[in-house]
Amino acid sequence: PTMHPQIHTAKKVQPTMHPQIYTAKKVIPTGGHVESLNATVMGMASGLRIEDIRYFVESLRNVGFSGHIILGINIDAPDELKRYLRSRKVITKPIKNTDCTFEPFFKTEQEKIKEGDDRTVRGLSVCVEPYPDVKSRWVKYPMGRDWLNDCPSCSGPVLLTDVRDVYFQDDPFGPGSPEVTTLQVFEEHPNQTTAHWLVDWPVGECKGVHLEKPMLCSGSTIGTRKDMMAYLNIMYKEMRSWLSDPKCRFKTLADDQSIHNWLFYNNEFPNALAIPNRKGIVHTVGYEIGVLYEAKNDHFKTEHNMTHDQANQQPFPGDSEKTWISSSIYGLTDEEGYFIDYDGSRSRMIHQWDRAGWWLERWMEKQEFLKVKKP
């Protein structure tokens, strides 16, 4: 189909353009960085397969991160997965399911059937040892605290992050990385605010407050060891409080983000700083990519009479052997397809990359820093 790139700029968002600066240095280190030796990256990977986490693990090691990687995996995870993670010097922590001790969200099988979403039902009905007093999706907070307590050498900066939808373009704590002296929480795209239902509904019902602030993503938080420990303790305490209060109990798996935003904007996190998107270690791409992806599909459906599935199969403008999307139209990547910050430098950590679909993943499969290498 004839491309009309200019119409792919989404109406909801006007990306900041920097067409003159797409010459950021390519970062594919061959060895580890001393700067990140005492740093820690940790997250929950329970239920994930090698193919689900290899972008995360391979990119983090291949860009030179020499510190601790700690991942929670199912206690009965396949031996192949355990061997793979050991080969990448990943510390694994067993995740074992158990019965929940808080008041059940579903008291009968009929209520579970009525809910209709098996994933939500399981997430609200099955808990994790030794913290059956919080939702399974929340357990990364008290367990992350325990993991740090068990790791005296984890003395440097700490990143608590999602795993499946994250990859790294540079060492998050390597040469030139912003110094970590506080707790850092990360804003999403400026158009994404706490007026979104994910925060507005739970916080409004629970606290009687309706915030209109930049949305903070609970999927990635950074801090000094001390500040991270304080953050994890505060989150866990607040979560137990919500589950014990009838007006703060919600049938959703994602309300840790509600709590995360409420606590920050209520000044409950000591020594905390909000970092604007594309101006720090973390670049959360989900909102902007989602809008651009929708605009691309709308173009092909409207202008070329395609079905939704047909439109999904069409590339972004600028797709080539070198990149997956136009740098000059969108200002989101450099000319080689790497996501960039507003100053034109390559972003260190990419979160929510999966919103871009197959076109980005095809590009990712070609990149050396994302490939599985022999240890």
Side-chain angles (χ1 to χ4, degrees), residues 182-256:
T182 64
L183 183 75
Q184 297 181 2
V185 294
F186 292 91
E187 297 177 6
E188 297 191 20
H189 189 275
N191 286 13
Q192 186 74 289
T193 73
T194 53
H196 188 281
W197 69 265
L198 181 57
V199 172
D200 188 64
W201 164 47
V203 173
E205 291 287 330
C206 181
K207 302 297 182 180
V209 174
H210 295 277
L211 304 170
E212 186 68 46
K213 302 285 187 180
M215 177 70 84
L216 306 174
C217 182
S218 62
S220 50
T221 304
I222 288 174
T224 64
R225 179 187 173 97
K226 178 182 177 181
D227 290 324
M228 181 60 72
M229 290 290 283
Y231 165 76
L232 297 173
N233 275 318
I234 292 167
M235 286 288 287
Y236 178 46
K237 180 181 178 181
E238 185 72 9
M239 287 167 168
R240 287 182 295 168
S241 174
W242 279 46
L243 283 174
S244 66
D245 187 337
K247 68 178 183 298
C248 300
R249 289 166 48 88
F250 303 97
K251 290 181 179 178
T252 175
L253 303 180
D255 46 349
D256 63 323

Side-chain angles (χ1 to χ4, degrees), residues 270-289:
N271 202 31
L273 180 67
I275 308 296
N277 199 32
R278 301 179 69 178
K279 290 189 176 182
I281 294 172
V282 178
H283 182 173
T284 304
V285 303
Y287 177 88
E288 195 163 5
I289 283 293

Side-chain angles (χ1 to χ4, degrees), residues 1-204:
T2 302
M3 303 301 291
H4 299 282
Q6 68 276 12
I7 74 168
H8 291 285
T9 301
K11 295 178 181 179
K12 300 178 187 176
V13 52
Q14 297 298 326
T16 301
M17 304 291 192
H18 297 283
Q20 72 281 12
I21 42 178
Y22 294 111
T23 56
K25 183 180 178 182
K26 194 170 185 178
V27 182
I28 308 180
T30 56
H33 297 135
V34 66
E35 291 87 348
S36 57
L37 187 60
N38 297 317
T40 304
V41 174
M42 59 183 187
M44 295 293 292
S46 55
L48 300 183
R49 305 161 299 172
I50 292 177
E51 51 264 43
D52 299 321
I53 63 175
R54 65 182 177 90
Y55 290 138
F56 179 94
V57 173
E58 294 302 322
S59 64
L60 188 52
R61 285 303 187 208
N62 289 341
V63 298
F65 179 76
S66 59
H68 309 81
I69 304 176
I70 305 176
L71 296 180
I73 64 172
N74 289 3
I75 194 168
D76 57 352
D79 289 340
E80 181 185 12
L81 174 62
K82 294 176 182 177
R83 287 194 298 270
Y84 166 72
L85 292 174
R86 282 196 300 269
S87 75
R88 299 306 185 267
K89 299 182 179 178
V90 175
I91 301 167
T92 57
K93 299 290 185 175
I95 303 299
K96 184 178 181 181
N97 292 336
T98 189
D99 294 333
C100 302
T101 57
F102 51 79
E103 182 181 350
F105 282 91
F106 308 101
K107 294 182 172 59
T108 66
E109 287 301 314
Q110 287 73 22
E111 289 183 8
K112 293 180 180 179
I113 294 171
K114 185 177 179 181
E115 174 63 30
D117 184 348
D118 291 343
R119 181 170 171 268
T120 298
V121 169
R122 179 173 175 78
L124 296 176
S125 304
V126 178
C127 289
V128 173
E129 292 184 355
Y131 296 104
D133 53 348
V134 293
K135 297 177 184 180
S136 58
R137 280 281 296 270
W138 293 356
V139 79
K140 69 178 184 180
Y141 299 96
M143 294 197 84
R145 175 197 60 188
D146 295 347
W147 298 344
L148 284 179
N149 270 328
D150 292 341
C151 182
S153 58
C154 299
S155 56
V158 180
L159 164 62
L160 176 67
T161 178
D162 291 347
V163 174
R164 183 190 56 79
D165 60 352
V166 168
Y167 71 86
F168 298 86
Q169 297 183 155
D170 199 353
D171 186 340
F173 304 116
S177 178
E179 185 179 6
V180 177
T181 59
T182 64
L183 183 75
Q184 297 181 2
V185 294
F186 292 91
E187 297 177 6
E188 297 191 20
H189 189 275
N191 286 13
Q192 186 74 289
T193 73
T194 53
H196 188 281
W197 69 265
L198 181 57
V199 172
D200 188 64
W201 164 47
V203 173

Side-chain angles (χ1 to χ4, degrees), residues 301-319:
K301 287 188 284 187
T302 302
E303 299 297 324
H304 301 283
N305 199 30
M306 290 186 179
T307 65
H308 180 75
D309 288 343
Q310 289 172 332
N312 261 340
Q313 296 172 22
Q314 303 305 311
F316 283 94
D319 176 72

